[in-house]
Amino acid sequence: MSQIKFTKDHEWIRVEGDTGVVGITDYAQHALGDIVFVELPEVGREITQGNEAAVVESVKAASEVYAPVDGEVTGFNEALVDEPAQVNADAEGSGWFFKVRIANPAQLDGLMDKAAYQTYLEGLA
Amino acid sequence: MTSATTISGHQGLQMDEPLIFELDSPGSSGVDLPPPPKVKSRLGAVAARNGVGLPGLSEPEVVRHYTRLSQKNYAIDSGFYPLGSCTMKHNPRLNEKMARLPGFADVHPLQPVSTVQGALELIDTLAGWLKTLTGMKAVALSPAAGAHGEMCGMMAIAAAHEHRGGPARKRVLVPESAHGTNPATAAALGMTVEAIPATEDGRIDLPAFKAKLGFDVAAVMLTNPNTCGLFEREVKALADAVHEAGAFLYCDGANFNAIIGRVRVADLGVDAMHINLHKTFSTPHGGGGPGSGPVVFSEALAPFIPLPAIIHDDDGYRLIETQDDDDGTALAFGRMKAFHGQMGVFVRALAYSLSHGADGLYQASADAVLSANYILAKLKDTFNAPFEGPCMHEALFDDKSLKGTGVSTLDIAKALIDEGFHPMTVYFPLVVHGAMLIEPTESESKRSIDQFIATMKGLAERAKTDAASFHAAPTLAPRRRLDETAAARKPILKWKK
């Protein structure tokens, strides 16, 4: 069974075995507005938790997407290159960014589950 | 889509102007030339086969086309232009008169040095003003504008580290309150950027910096006054820590207008800072004139500054084009531009400095800061100010007071267009939600600022009851709201039939 975890920087990671699928949350896409460009990490790149892994650009601003965990990038969502609007349409589904082989599963424990993230968002309001 | 409902598409005397290619009337021409003599073409295969595709128009059509386009250009000469972080100040007409003197306007960069002594003296005199105003040791005048100046400063820092030897220094620390170009510059030079979050009061977090400093840090880049319009109070302490770690302090001087004549940058421990002549020293910009971003340097970095250099000695003014021990330019890291820099802007910047004098520049920064604080004081009960004042040269508000109205920062900006104002900078700085960054500069009279304040208050009032009117805005401009998303996702960069 897959589990989804969330970061304070509004990324989500869906854990599927030793792989994590990463994207930005619906809250993040809403805050950014219309997404016009997504820069994705190349396959094989080593990413570290909390450091920049991708870039998302909206009509308002360009923002970094931080790696939720350490690991190696194993794939990215090619559909976003031509259709960045996918992120607005379905941020937590077909608008995923990249896949990572999770190096240190213990890092997942430090992330929030859906309920905790909801509470976190209410705190931001 | 235009907002006009007229038959012509024009509104009053505001013309709906098509592209010049769409005005093409084949066969029309502005000149009446005799038919070319019959000669045998020797062009062969290189002769143009499909024509060059220039549109045909009469002279009055061409003149009208460009005159109408120029009338669409909203400029500081037409009205209030409070674009934060851009210092849209008045360009005194005296500047223009000086820049048009033939000795400055008609010189060529490849002219013999003996024939341009006056132009070189002007550059050297301006260099003296910039060094005096900042207390810095040296200045490189060639960078083309702010970001190019940043690159120049960071390249000098890299050259200094290389000259010094030791382990590679690739890390650059940048506070979140810095301009966005700062991390971009460092990244473009192959350095690793680390963003350091700001404190609650919108300033640099000194302990966080100290914790991150190490012997692999090349530089710290900060903007002062920062992009929240606040003066960074702990720069000297930061500079001392940076120097102790063997790194350099780069300061983005884009906001120099707030402190000119009042803060000697050298006293803060800064090693390099660019000065936007096109902002702080007037000169037209923002779709108008070119930029110019000279960089001032500390003693430690002075040997590495780029060429060309101007030296004044018994032989008059000499232009140093190559690294030379005798001229003290042996360590110069190279050059940033083919020639000396933006001469037209130098003339205007020096005219601005000389006509104001030191006391005038001192007064200008005070007036710029006073204008911004007046706006902050008058509007802070209407819009929420995320940071406690007083501010420096720009007033910053967030969108908290708009919450629940259905009106966003962008809607306020669009409604301002209908009211005849250029919008302020919006959604920047990023650290402030729905930011509205307002920089009035010292150019504005109390009357024009009061008019702006009254308009902002009126808009805030209307936002409570009539959000729909905001979503439709602008309704009085030549165009309604443009599709920014489509423009960014699928830009049309080339005209096609």
Side-chain angles (χ1 to χ4, degrees):
Chain A
M1 195 191 128
S2 71
Q3 56 161 341
I4 299 186
K5 294 279 196 164
F6 297 84
T7 71
K8 285 185 172 175
D9 299 314
H10 311 290
E11 291 93 14
W12 55 265
I13 177 166
R14 192 171 66 238
V15 184
E16 297 171 349
D18 64 350
T19 299
V21 183
V22 179
I24 64 170
T25 64
D26 194 56
Y27 172 87
Q29 72 79 15
H30 191 75
L32 285 165
D34 287 343
I35 310 286
V36 296
F37 178 72
V38 176
E39 187 182 302
L40 298 164
E42 65 272 31
V43 172
R45 186 172 137 196
E46 294 287 343
I47 54 176
T48 16
Q49 188 177 41
N51 283 349
E52 181 192 318
V55 179
V56 56
E57 196 176 324
S58 75
V59 287
K60 284 187 209 163
S63 312
E64 282 108 17
V65 177
Y66 301 105
V69 292
D70 294 356
E72 183 191 333
V73 175
T74 56
F76 57 82
N77 188 355
E78 277 181 55
L80 292 191
V81 177
D82 290 328
E83 279 299 326
Q86 283 281 334
V87 182
N88 292 120
D90 189 11
E92 297 179 24
S94 65
W96 63 279
F97 277 49
F98 58 89
K99 291 182 182 178
V100 57
R101 185 173 296 122
I102 302 168
N104 180 6
Q107 285 178 335
L108 293 166
D109 299 336
L111 303 179
M112 292 175 277
D113 62 16
K114 183 99 188 166
Y117 180 64
Q118 278 306 331
T119 314
Y120 171 68
L121 289 185
E122 280 156 28
L124 293 181
Chain B
M1 182 177 94
T2 76
S3 55
T5 50
T6 53
I7 298 163
S8 62
H10 306 321
Q11 261 194 306
L13 295 177
Q14 199 171 55
M15 303 301 184
D16 185 49
E17 192 61 22
L19 297 175
I20 197 163
F21 287 97
E22 292 165 358
L23 295 170
D24 179 26
S25 164
S28 289
S29 172
V31 285
D32 181 15
L33 294 174
K38 288 214 168 4
V39 291
K40 187 177 179 310
S41 171
R42 294 165 201 265
L43 291 171
V46 297
R49 273 155 290 184
N50 302 317
V52 288
L54 291 178
L57 289 91
S58 69
E59 182 171 321
E61 285 176 315
V62 172
V63 170
R64 277 184 188 163
H65 176 72
Y66 287 107
T67 304
R68 288 170 180 178
L69 286 185
S70 74
Q71 287 167 340
K72 289 185 193 301
N73 186 21
Y74 188 90
I76 188 70
D77 287 353
S78 11
F80 191 46
Y81 204 135
L83 199 57
S85 207
C86 293
T87 314
M88 302 302 293
K89 68 164 73 175
H90 173 64
N91 170 44
R93 288 304 174 267
L94 179 66
N95 292 359
E96 295 308 304
K97 189 173 178 185
M98 294 303 114
R100 279 164 180 73
L101 291 174
F104 297 132
D106 298 339
V107 287
H108 191 279
L110 294 179
Q111 248 174 268
V113 168
S114 63
T115 66
V116 288
Q117 286 291 302
L120 294 180
E121 183 180 352
L122 180 136
I123 297 175
D124 195 53
T125 308
L126 177 63
W129 272 83
L130 299 181
K131 285 189 283 188
T132 305
L133 284 165
T134 56
M136 300 288 266
K137 172 86 179 165
V139 59
L141 282 144
S142 60
H148 200 218
E150 287 175 36
M151 182 164 252
C152 173
M154 293 303 284
M155 286 171 81
I157 287 171
H161 283 310
E162 198 177 316
H163 180 71
R164 202 189 272 168
R169 289 174 178 262
K170 288 279 175 197
R171 284 170 65 218
V172 174
L173 309 181
V174 183
E176 272 181 357
S177 57
H179 276 154
T181 46
N182 298 170
T185 297
L189 289 169
M191 296 169 175
T192 325
V193 180
E194 283 171 52
I196 314 286
T199 56
E200 284 286 311
D201 67 351
R203 293 182 170 87
I204 54 168
D205 186 343
L206 188 60
F209 268 97
K210 285 187 170 165
K212 290 272 188 180
L213 278 170
F215 290 102
D216 53 350
V217 172
V220 169
M221 298 181 83
L222 65 84
T223 303
N224 197 21
N226 70 27
T227 200
C228 298
L230 303 171
F231 187 76
E232 295 285 8
R233 301 193 192 101
E234 297 184 294
V235 179
K236 185 67 178 83
L238 175 66
D240 292 343
V242 167
H243 292 151
E244 203 169 308
F248 293 100
L249 181 62
Y250 187 89
C251 180
D252 182 318
N255 295 336
F256 193 41
N257 201 48
I259 57 171
I260 187 168
R262 309 213 159 231
V263 175
R264 282 198 340 150
V265 178
D267 296 343
L268 300 177
V270 168
D271 290 295
M273 181 183 87
H274 72 266
I275 299 169
N276 288 328
L277 295 183
H278 54 283
K279 293 183 181 178
T280 311
F281 291 80
S282 64
T283 91
H285 70 290
S292 178
V295 187
V296 288
F297 289 93
S298 65
E299 191 148 16
L301 290 179
F304 303 97
I305 74 167
L307 295 167
I310 292 173
I311 289 184
H312 185 208
D313 55 23
D314 295 344
D315 303 328
Y317 290 90
R318 287 192 295 131
L319 195 60
I320 312 303
E321 299 270 15
T322 50
Q323 284 92 340
D324 191 326
D325 260 336
D326 295 340
D327 297 321
T329 57
L331 295 174
F333 72 72
R335 55 199 305 152
M336 299 296 294
K337 268 192 137 203
F339 297 119
H340 331 56
Q342 191 48 257
M343 188 64 195
V345 177
F346 295 162
V347 179
R348 291 171 176 89
L350 188 63
Y352 178 82
S353 303
L354 291 172
S355 59
H356 278 69
D359 58 333
L361 296 180
Y362 186 77
Q363 177 78 43
S365 54
D367 290 351
V369 170
L370 180 63
S371 297
N373 276 290
Y374 182 61
I375 290 176
L376 184 67
K378 286 278 187 182
L379 283 179
K380 74 176 174 193
D381 295 330
T382 309
F383 291 92
N384 184 59
F387 304 115
E388 191 62 34
C391 60
M392 293 301 287
H393 61 305
E394 44 197 359
L396 177 61
F397 300 96
D398 62 25
D399 60 359
K400 212 171 192 171
S401 69
L402 295 170
K403 208 163 183 184
T405 61
V407 173
S408 67
T409 289
L410 185 69
D411 295 329
I412 295 284
K414 299 295 183 189
L416 272 176
I417 295 174
D418 276 342
E419 298 289 340
F421 293 104
H422 191 289
M424 70 295 267
T425 293
V426 293
Y427 300 108
F428 181 85
L430 300 174
V431 287
V432 172
H433 199 272
M436 292 178 259
L437 187 63
I438 302 166
E439 181 178 2
T441 84
E442 71 277 16
S443 303
E444 296 306 324
S445 64
K446 182 166 178 295
R447 180 204 305 239
S448 76
I449 295 178
D450 280 336
Q451 203 179 28
F452 175 76
I453 290 167
T455 305
M456 287 293 280
K457 284 190 171 177
L459 291 177
E461 203 50 46
R462 204 173 86 205
K464 290 178 194 158
T465 55
D466 187 12
S469 71
F470 281 88
H471 300 151
T475 55
L476 302 174
R479 289 286 185 277
R480 300 289 292 278
R481 208 172 282 210
L482 303 178
D483 188 346
E484 292 173 36
T485 310
R489 282 181 187 159
K490 298 198 164 32
I492 301 166
L493 303 174
K494 196 178 161 190
W495 180 80
K496 275 191 229 146
K497 256 189 191 142

